[in-house]
Amino acid sequence: MIHRLDPETRSKIAAGEVVARPASVVVELIENALDAGAETVETDVDGDGTDRIRVADDGHGMAEADAALAVERHTTSKLAAADDLETVETLGFRGEALPSIAAAAARLELTTNDGGPRGTRVVVDGGENAPGGERDKTVSPAGRARGTTVDVTGLFADRPARRKSLASSKAEFARVSAVVTRYALTRPDVRFVLRHDGRETLATPGTGRFADALLAVYGRDAASHASTFDAAREVEAAGETATVDVDGALCHPEVTRSRRDHVHVSVNGRALAEPRLRRAVADGYGTLLPDGREPVGVVRVRLPPAWVDHNVHPAKDEVGFRDADAVAEAVEASVRDALSTADLRRSGEVAMDLDSSLAPVEAASVFDDLRVIGRFRGLYLLCEADDELLVVDQHAAHERINYERLREAVESAGIDSAAVDPPATVSLSPADAALLDANRDLVEKLGFRVVEFGEGGGTGTYRVEAVPAPLGRPFAPDALADVVADVAAGDDADPRDELLKDLACHPSIKAGDDLTDDEAARLVERLGSCGTPYTCPHGRPTVLAIDEETFVRGFGRRSGRLG
Ligand code: ADP
Ligand code: MG
């Protein structure tokens, strides 16, 4: 039941402009649809959004009396009294969105049905003769299945200053697209459709699976290199504790973007461009990400309503937290844990299919129960595994991991590349230049974008605009010369595979010697997930094992620990 908020509650609600641009209208209408329990939310935008925005849902709809009230100021079904502001669980609560939108637009038409035989249409029409003035409201019966459609035309028609402040049609639609995407990814259980000028630009299936929503937004490569996670952490503030639930899906570190916009967060169901939480997610990736690259992922945070204040910002862009640092810390730790375990093993499983011939059957089990207990000379990791001491050659292990992941990347969609800005200039010998020409497809598939200076070529000087960034580490542009030289030096074996082996050993993508404990543990775990963990790509061993028996004999003991 919709009712009018009392003056006390109204005075506590953050005042200000709700409708700043077309994207803010879309946010409000989508949030209303989600509050109504919609399973499908379809958004249509014409031009920059001032021409038309229409959002249709299949939620619970409204009865006639409620529909007529909904477009009035301070009317809401979601908040009864001022105290409820502390505990509100719906996305809306101010009762201001629909009237504000109606006031900012030439016309707002709301068609709704709460499941009865007949629906209701409410039209708030300013008309050209009433600029900024009184608006007519008409209520009439209408045919519609259960749900609600809000159709807003002529946004800012009588607010020329506001219209002027808008960016280009493309830029305004990009903002709309960003907010729809954010909701589509954080609510994979809801089917979202977005159309621009009648053309579908986004459609998620609403299956509830993050992978399906990621697939719709970012494509197969990102979706297949993502892992879901679900964690709970205790936070403390002013002597009280609360549980923060964090779940979502994280793309593996080989899938990166140059901006942080692709970290999608929500807090208690509200999708937000929350910079602190986005940073916390990126921090959780830590050194897995190359410099200047940002992760792709979906992270949903839930905490008791009283620990969050959604009422700090009129357009609800930001939220207040009882302890923002503690929440950020919980998010960062959840992401870090999630990345250190399941997801990286999964890429190994794929690699195993590609090279089953060499995978020792009993080998993988050695890595199952393995613990890094120390390091020797910055080169070797000492690991305890059942009754053996394993010595892992850090570099050889890293080469093996790189090689398998590179090969997997090339088999599927190609290796991620990173732009070189400004582009670097690299000279190749004529022979190498010829080899580059001959292997151009492969070199580009590996992630290089290279343009030769001078018309018609033949200068031997190249502009390197992008470099491979496999496993999140961009190559130095000079590596172009190395890679081409490697092709030249390659014997008659599959030149592509030779190249991958050389790439895997290239210093640009090798880890430094000073691994932290976490990095060491992750390295060994990733080695264990390789199809062929026991040798580096060039066939040298990655692991030596010394069994307990050796120590027993060496120390002249009669038996092992249990004896
Ligand atoms: P608020 O969301 O803050 O309550 P709004 O102005 O956005 O305020 O909406 C006013 C009321 O109209 C809501 O409380 C809700 O009861 C009703 N309403 C708005 N949109 C929908 C919708 N899509 N489906 C069902 N009810 C809706
Ligand atoms: Mg609302």
Side-chain angles (χ1 to χ4, degrees), residues 28 32 78 92 97:
E28 293 295 339
N32 280 348
K78 302 169 191 174

Side-chain angles (χ1 to χ4, degrees), residues 14-297:
E17 201 172 22
V18 177
V19 183
R21 53 188 352 128
S24 23
V25 172
V26 173
V27 169
E28 293 295 339
L29 297 181
I30 287 181
E31 291 185 349
N32 280 348
L34 294 174
D35 279 345
E39 289 174 5
T40 295
V41 180
E42 299 192 39
T43 304
D44 278 276
V45 173
D46 289 351
D48 65 2
T50 59
D51 300 352
R52 155 172 272 164
I53 293 169
R54 191 178 57 212
V55 175
D57 69 56
D58 58 357
H60 58 54
M62 285 172 270
E64 183 185 317
D66 280 350
L69 255 186
V71 297
E72 302 290 329
R73 289 225 99 91
H74 306 301
T75 52
T76 180
S77 56
K78 302 169 191 174
L79 201 61
D83 287 350
D84 294 350
L85 265 179
E86 293 250 312
T87 53
V88 64
E89 302 227 27
T90 50
L91 301 171
F93 52 82
R94 301 188 174 114
E96 280 199 294
L98 290 179
S100 303
I101 295 166
R107 188 170 192 273
L108 181 147
E109 180 185 299
L110 181 151
T111 314
T112 187
N113 181 347
D114 63 354
R118 172 182 95 163
T120 305
R121 173 169 298 128
V122 178
V123 177
V124 184
D125 200 340
E128 281 174 6
N129 301 325
E134 281 302 296
R135 294 189 180 239
D136 286 339
K137 182 171 88 176
T138 54
V139 180
S140 56
R144 200 210 183 279
R146 200 186 81 129
T148 302
T149 303
V150 178
D151 197 338
V152 180
T153 44
L155 185 66
F156 305 139
D158 59 0
R159 296 183 188 183
R162 177 53 70 195
R163 281 250 298 273
K164 261 213 173 106
S165 76
L166 297 182
S168 69
S169 170
K170 269 199 178 126
E172 291 300 331
F173 180 73
R175 287 177 204 260
V176 169
S177 183
V179 302
V180 177
T181 300
R182 208 185 291 152
Y183 265 117
L185 287 171
T186 55
R187 289 295 304 272
D189 55 316
V190 176
R191 193 171 81 84
F192 282 87
V193 177
L194 176 63
R195 280 178 291 258
H196 191 209
D197 295 327
R199 203 170 48 85
E200 188 174 287
T201 63
L202 174 72
T204 58
T207 57
R209 283 191 299 265
F210 288 111
D212 294 336
L214 280 169
L215 180 68
V217 174
Y218 288 111
R220 183 163 307 284
D221 195 39
S224 63
H225 293 95
S227 297
T228 56
F229 72 106
D230 190 349
R233 296 198 166 245
E234 296 291 311
V235 291
E236 215 194 298
E240 279 184 65
T241 58
T243 304
V244 185
D245 291 302
V246 189
D247 75 344
L250 301 169
C251 285
H252 302 176
E254 67 263 39
V255 181
T256 62
R257 292 291 188 277
S258 59
R259 295 170 56 100
R260 203 167 281 165
D261 304 347
H262 304 277
V263 175
H264 303 272
V265 298
S266 72
V267 177
N268 286 0
R270 186 186 303 286
L272 302 150
E274 241 292 333
R276 286 169 304 182
L277 294 185
R278 285 178 154 176
R279 177 159 8 93
V281 173
D283 288 347
Y285 277 77
T287 54
L288 290 173
L289 290 175
D291 280 353
R293 302 296 292 176
E294 301 290 346
V296 178

Side-chain angles (χ1 to χ4, degrees), residues 288-466:
L288 290 173
L289 290 175
D291 280 353
R293 302 296 292 176
E294 301 290 346
V296 178
V298 186
V299 173
R300 308 192 296 191
V301 178
R302 275 211 167 268
L303 61 176
W307 286 62
V308 189
D309 184 0
H310 285 292
N311 190 29
V312 295
H313 192 284
K316 306 178 203 155
D317 278 350
E318 286 163 23
V319 287
F321 290 109
R322 196 178 280 189
D323 186 337
D325 288 344
V327 175
E329 173 54 38
V331 168
E332 181 185 335
S334 306
V335 168
R336 196 186 316 115
D337 284 359
L339 288 169
S340 66
T341 52
D343 52 337
L344 298 168
R345 183 172 291 143
R346 180 176 301 175
S347 17
E349 280 166 15
V350 179
M352 211 162 324
D353 293 339
L354 296 172
D355 196 351
S356 48
S357 59
L358 288 173
V361 180
E362 78 281 16
S365 61
V366 171
F367 288 90
D368 279 346
D369 195 8
L370 180 150
R371 206 162 59 86
V372 180
I373 53 175
R375 253 158 294 170
F376 181 53
R377 296 185 71 81
L379 284 175
Y380 308 104
L381 303 176
L382 309 181
C383 312
E384 183 180 38
D386 204 8
D387 63 349
E388 289 183 316
L389 176 70
L390 299 186
V391 184
V392 175
D393 180 325
Q394 237 167 256
H395 288 193
H398 205 242
E399 288 168 6
R400 163 53 61 185
I401 295 162
N402 286 345
Y403 170 66
E404 294 207 358
R405 297 181 74 188
L406 283 168
R407 199 178 48 188
E408 188 197 333
V410 170
E411 301 285 351
S412 50
I415 295 171
D416 248 27
S417 70
V420 183
D421 194 19
T425 302
V426 170
S427 293
L428 295 184
S429 72
D432 287 352
L435 278 163
L436 172 60
D437 276 346
N439 294 282
R440 210 174 176 86
D441 280 354
L442 175 56
V443 169
E444 284 185 357
K445 195 153 196 212
L446 290 170
F448 279 104
R449 201 165 60 236
V450 180
V451 182
E452 190 169 9
F453 277 112
E455 267 197 33
T459 60
T461 307
Y462 293 82
R463 195 168 69 233
V464 179
E465 297 175 342

